């Protein structure tokens, strides 16, 4: 499952407005505020208004399907492009755990390369020794 997060409340507000323009979705001031202060999210843009309408407890309880990043529907690419426009000094990191599927990680890396993001951090959790 692919999630997205970006630091900075005002960067996040500007990012959401750009995504709304791209996908022809009008976000209310309350939705923009909710997006600007929440942690990472993993829903398709088309489901974002519904996700933002939830309170924090509901968001924590819902199973997020992930941001599409396959060759037919690559919304992650738009999140990356608009994030870099919003904050040109942005540093990108891919964070995975032991349950991360290689094909998904490969799709994320390929998306970064297609968008000319050739420098990024890869963060993994250390395995516990026995």
């Amino acid at each position: 499952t692919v999630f997205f997060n970006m630091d900075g409340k005002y960067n996040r507000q500007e990012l959401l407005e750009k995504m709304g323009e791209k996908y022809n979705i009008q976000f209310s001031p309350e939705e923009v505020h909710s997006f600007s202060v929440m942690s990472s999210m993993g829903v398709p843009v088309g489901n974002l208004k519904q996700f933002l309408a939830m309170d924090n407890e509901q968001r924590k309880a819902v199973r997020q399907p992930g941001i599409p990043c396959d060759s037919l529907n690559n919304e992650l690419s738009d999140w990356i492009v608009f994030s870099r426009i919003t904050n040109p000094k942005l540093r990108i990191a891919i964070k995975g755990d032991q349950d991360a599927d290689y094909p998904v990680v490969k799709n994320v890396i390929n998306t970064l390369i297609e968008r000319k993001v050739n420098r990024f951090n890869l963060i993994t959790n250390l395995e516990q020794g026995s």
Side-chain angles (χ1 to χ4, degrees):
T1 305
V2 175
F3 290 84
F4 180 86
N5 192 6
M6 180 179 186
D7 291 337
K9 177 180 178 179
Y10 299 108
N11 287 337
R12 291 174 63 90
Q13 289 174 350
E14 187 177 337
L15 171 61
L16 185 62
E17 290 169 5
K18 288 180 184 338
M19 288 296 287
E21 289 172 16
K22 162 84 178 182
Y23 287 88
N24 200 24
I25 300 172
Q26 192 76 13
F27 292 102
S28 71
E30 294 80 18
E31 291 166 335
V32 171
H33 175 73
S34 290
F35 183 81
S36 73
V37 297
M38 73 179 190
S39 61
S40 62
M41 62 87 195
V43 296
V45 175
N47 298 8
L48 197 50
K49 284 182 78 68
Q50 179 184 1
F51 185 70
L52 292 172
M54 298 176 183
D55 63 36
N56 285 338
E57 293 305 314
Q58 291 172 316
R59 284 190 209 123
K60 288 177 186 174
V62 71
R63 185 186 182 291
Q64 298 178 50
I67 296 172
C69 65
D70 58 38
S71 59
L72 297 176
N73 182 14
N74 195 340
E75 291 180 8
L76 179 63
S77 178
D78 294 325
W79 285 108
I80 292 167
V81 168
F82 290 124
S83 295
R84 293 183 75 204
I85 291 170
T86 300
N87 180 2
K89 295 181 180 182
L90 180 73
R91 294 181 57 133
I92 294 179
I94 301 170
K95 183 177 179 183
D97 62 17
Q98 65 189 22
D99 297 325
D101 291 331
Y102 175 75
V104 174
V105 175
K106 183 179 176 186
N107 283 345
V108 171
I109 291 172
N110 286 339
T111 297
L112 291 172
I113 292 169
E114 288 168 10
R115 290 303 181 179
K116 310 272 189 256
V117 178
N118 297 313
R119 293 183 63 161
F120 53 87
N121 295 324
L122 184 58
I123 303 168
T124 60
N125 291 337
L126 293 174
E127 289 187 34
Q128 295 291 329
S130 2

